[in-house]
């Protein structure tokens, strides 16, 4: 086992990456990792992993050791930057090879990052393949691509492949909260929102902190919804889970439950972003079932059971 920071501190949290966290923690760190996703997501993740792999203190990346403090200019972090056209040149890969032929400055690990491996010339890709074919126990490669289909298959076969998708992204939220624009408009000018949002946060507290039984939670939800109605309450509950994800991602400007920010910060603390996304989906599914006239209480009780599973299972 090696001492690394809790998974909750990773910038992107999905089930796949949680497994990678456990793998690294166990000391079996893959020597070549290929992250597939949007450049802005893979970049933030690979940068975090560079820090983690080069940190020399417990709780990596600790942010305090000599290695962490010089991270922006670390001699053992080899970061390849794509050119203006978004692609990496052959000469840049040759520079990596040349650098890898020398030892680490600290006697520790050497880590190199190469973005856009799906957007390289064949010559550059083959050079990269060469470095992957000559494994060195203290060298780690963090590659990234947007499109796995376009990566040289021989490169893919040398790597552990990890899909990367940050749940804080607008795209998946739009999929599950399609008429969010309407809600956003209502939220800003309707008095009912202030009262109902408070009820939602209080109900969430009984779910997340007091961990009431599903049957009691379902009763409490019907009561809390009151005149506003269960349908509207569930809608706001989905928005609430999205807000927790925004808070976790540091995107305060998108938070609708702004008056409850300190509650949201506390409640979101121990829940990975991907779980919050799943929780919102569970709520939206329950809301859809209500429209099909499924018995309200039974439906809500099932939703609470699912929420408990989604939010607490590992
Ligand atoms: Zn450190």
């Amino acid at each position: 086992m090696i001492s690394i920071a809790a998974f909750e501190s990773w910038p992107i949290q999905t089930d796949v990456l949680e497994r990678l966290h456990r793998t690294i923690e166990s000391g079996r760190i893959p020597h070549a990792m290929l992250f597939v996703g949007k450049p802005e997501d893979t970049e933030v993740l690979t940068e975090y992993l560079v820090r983690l792999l080069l940190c020399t203190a417990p709780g990596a990346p600790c942010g305090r050791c000599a290695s962490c403090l010089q991270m922006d200019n670390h001699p053992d972090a080899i970061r390849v930057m794509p050119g203006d056209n978004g692609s990496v040149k052959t000469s840049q890969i040759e520079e990596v090879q040349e650098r890898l032929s020398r030892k680490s400055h600290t006697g520790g690990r050497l880590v190199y990052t190469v973005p856009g491996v799906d957007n390289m010339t064949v010559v550059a890709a083959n050079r990269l393949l060469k470095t992957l074919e000559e494994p060195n126990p203290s060298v780690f490669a963090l590659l990234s691509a947007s499109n796995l289909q376009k990566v040289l298959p021989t490169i893919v076969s040398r790597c552990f492949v990890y899909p990367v998708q940050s749940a804080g992204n607008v795209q998946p939220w739009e999929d599950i909260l399609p008429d969010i624009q309407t809600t956003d408009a209502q939220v800003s000018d309707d008095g009912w929102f202030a009262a109902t949002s408070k009820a939602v946060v209080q109900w969430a507290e009984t779910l997340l902190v007091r961990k009431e039984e599903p049957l009691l939670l379902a009763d409490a939800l019907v009561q809390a919804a009151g005149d506003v109605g269960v349908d509207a309450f569930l809608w706001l509950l989905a928005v609430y889970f999205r807000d927790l994800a925004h808070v976790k991602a540091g995107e305060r400007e998108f938070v609708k439950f702004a008056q409850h920010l300190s509650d949201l910060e506390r409640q979101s603390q121990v829940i990975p972003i991907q779980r919050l996304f799943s929780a919102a989906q569970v709520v939206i599914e329950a809301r859809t079932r209500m429209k099909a006239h499924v018995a309200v209480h039974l439906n809500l009780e099932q939703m609470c059971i699912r929420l408990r599973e989604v939010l607490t299972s590992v």
Side-chain angles (χ1 to χ4, degrees):
M1 293 282 283
I2 63 172
S3 168
I4 60 175
F7 182 61
E8 281 66 33
S9 70
W10 282 35
I12 296 178
Q13 297 168 14
T14 63
D15 292 347
V16 170
L17 294 178
E18 192 169 18
R19 282 197 288 278
L20 174 62
H21 177 271
R22 281 202 293 268
T23 305
I24 293 175
E25 198 167 38
S26 75
R28 292 172 284 123
I29 311 171
H31 283 276
M33 297 168 243
L34 172 59
F35 298 98
V36 182
K38 290 185 188 160
E40 58 267 33
D41 290 337
T42 53
E43 188 184 332
V44 75
L45 180 68
T46 53
E47 185 54 33
Y48 181 87
L49 291 173
V50 169
R51 287 161 193 263
L52 186 159
L53 291 171
L54 291 176
C55 174
T56 55
C62 72
R64 291 181 301 273
C65 71
S67 181
C68 282
L69 289 176
Q70 63 170 337
M71 199 49 81
D72 291 333
N73 204 7
H74 197 294
D76 296 330
I78 308 159
R79 300 173 173 96
V80 175
M81 302 292 176
D84 292 338
N85 60 356
S87 77
V88 169
K89 292 200 200 75
T90 310
S91 61
Q92 291 178 288
I93 302 296
E94 284 169 351
E95 281 167 31
V96 173
Q97 287 181 309
E98 197 277 325
R99 176 66 191 81
L100 292 177
S101 68
R102 289 176 281 130
K103 283 216 160 54
S104 135
H105 282 253
T106 57
R109 297 173 178 143
L110 272 168
V111 182
Y112 66 98
T113 59
V114 184
V117 292
D118 51 344
N119 194 21
M120 293 174 130
T121 64
V122 177
V123 179
N126 278 310
R127 282 286 146 79
L128 178 61
L129 181 62
K130 266 259 171 292
T131 71
L132 295 172
E133 280 171 342
E134 293 160 8
N136 174 321
S138 58
V139 173
F140 296 87
L142 303 172
L143 315 179
S144 42
S146 311
N147 184 346
L148 185 62
Q149 312 298 329
K150 285 164 70 183
V151 182
L152 205 64
T154 40
I155 288 184
V156 176
S157 71
R158 299 256 157 204
C159 297
F160 283 84
V161 179
Y162 302 95
V164 176
Q165 187 192 41
S166 98
N169 276 349
V170 178
Q171 190 51 48
W173 290 112
E174 278 179 347
D175 289 347
I176 59 163
L177 299 174
D179 42 338
I180 195 72
Q181 302 292 354
T182 339
T183 313
D184 287 354
Q186 288 174 357
V187 160
S188 53
D189 57 37
D190 260 357
W192 69 270
F193 177 75
T196 313
S197 65
K198 190 168 179 215
V200 167
V201 173
Q202 282 171 349
W203 183 82
E205 184 82 6
T206 61
L207 169 78
L208 299 171
V209 181
R210 294 185 8 223
K211 301 192 192 300
E212 290 279 16
E213 290 303 314
L215 186 64
L216 295 176
L217 282 169
D219 285 342
L221 192 151
V222 174
Q223 279 202 351
D227 294 342
V228 169
V230 172
D231 181 66
F233 191 93
L234 290 182
W235 180 259
L236 277 192
L237 185 59
V239 173
Y240 160 85
F241 280 121
R242 185 188 63 165
D243 273 6
L244 287 186
H246 280 316
V247 168
K248 264 200 106 75
E251 303 164 339
R252 305 258 155 91
E253 64 273 28
F254 300 122
V255 171
K256 300 298 167 209
F257 284 66
Q259 286 178 317
H260 307 281
L261 207 53
S262 61
D263 285 320
L264 265 60
E265 277 170 354
R266 182 173 48 81
Q267 292 172 340
S268 69
Q269 235 161 29
V270 295
I271 312 170
I273 285 185
Q274 193 62 30
R275 301 244 170 104
L276 295 169
F277 181 62
S278 306
Q281 272 174 316
V282 167
V283 173
I284 290 299
E285 281 162 21
R287 186 168 175 260
T288 308
R289 277 201 304 271
M290 278 218 354
K291 292 195 170 132
H293 305 291
V294 173
V296 174
H297 258 84
L298 184 64
N299 185 19
L300 291 178
E301 196 185 339
Q302 283 171 349
M303 179 190 81
C304 294
I305 293 170
R306 282 287 297 136
L307 282 177
R308 182 64 48 77
E309 286 168 2
V310 162
L311 292 166
T312 57
S313 67
V314 173

